[in-house]
Amino acid sequence: SECGQESREALRLTFHDALGFSPTLGGGGADGSIITFSSTELAYAANADSGVSDIVDNLTPFVSKYNVTPGDLVFFAGAVGFSNCAGATQLQFLTGRPAPTAASPDGLVSTPAGE
């Protein structure tokens, strides 16, 4: 019930995970690969200083503890985090994302202008 740092990090994580999609380069998009392959994806320039590493560390144990796919966990956390913010609506959340099979390729998530 608080729109704090973790809520913002969870919402940011949904974008950093989902933007890693390319039909030609690989990358499954909204599949939770940023959790499964965190040692690879968190080293990418767009993710390294984005503020998502802490929330990845916080969410990772829940994948095995609750037997959920990383993609479902990322987007559940984002929906809950968003809903905790004042004036925000509750988002519909659907499960069923398959487990990621590979890391997203580097360069699919843009860095802020000037970096």
Side-chain angles (χ1 to χ4, degrees):
S1 65
E2 181 181 317
C3 185
Q5 180 176 336
E6 285 186 337
S7 291
R8 293 187 299 274
E9 289 174 358
L11 186 58
R12 186 176 302 117
L13 181 61
T14 65
F15 288 96
H16 282 259
D17 186 52
L19 290 174
F21 172 79
S22 171
T24 57
L25 300 175
D31 62 358
S33 65
I34 198 165
I35 287 181
T36 302
F37 303 100
S38 61
S39 61
T40 300
E41 291 193 33
L42 292 178
Y44 298 160
N47 296 332
D49 296 322
S50 67
V52 298
S53 63
D54 287 343
I55 196 69
V56 166
D57 290 342
N58 291 343
L59 291 176
T60 297
F62 291 98
V63 172
S64 60
K65 183 176 182 178
Y66 294 106
N67 194 30
V68 296
T69 65
D72 281 349
L73 182 60
V74 166
F75 290 90
F76 178 73
V80 170
F82 179 78
S83 297
N84 283 338
C85 295
T89 187
Q90 290 187 349
L91 300 177
Q92 180 182 24
F93 170 75
L94 303 171
T95 63
R97 291 168 185 80
T101 57
S104 170
D106 195 7
L108 297 178
V109 178
S110 62
T111 58
E115 290 186 22

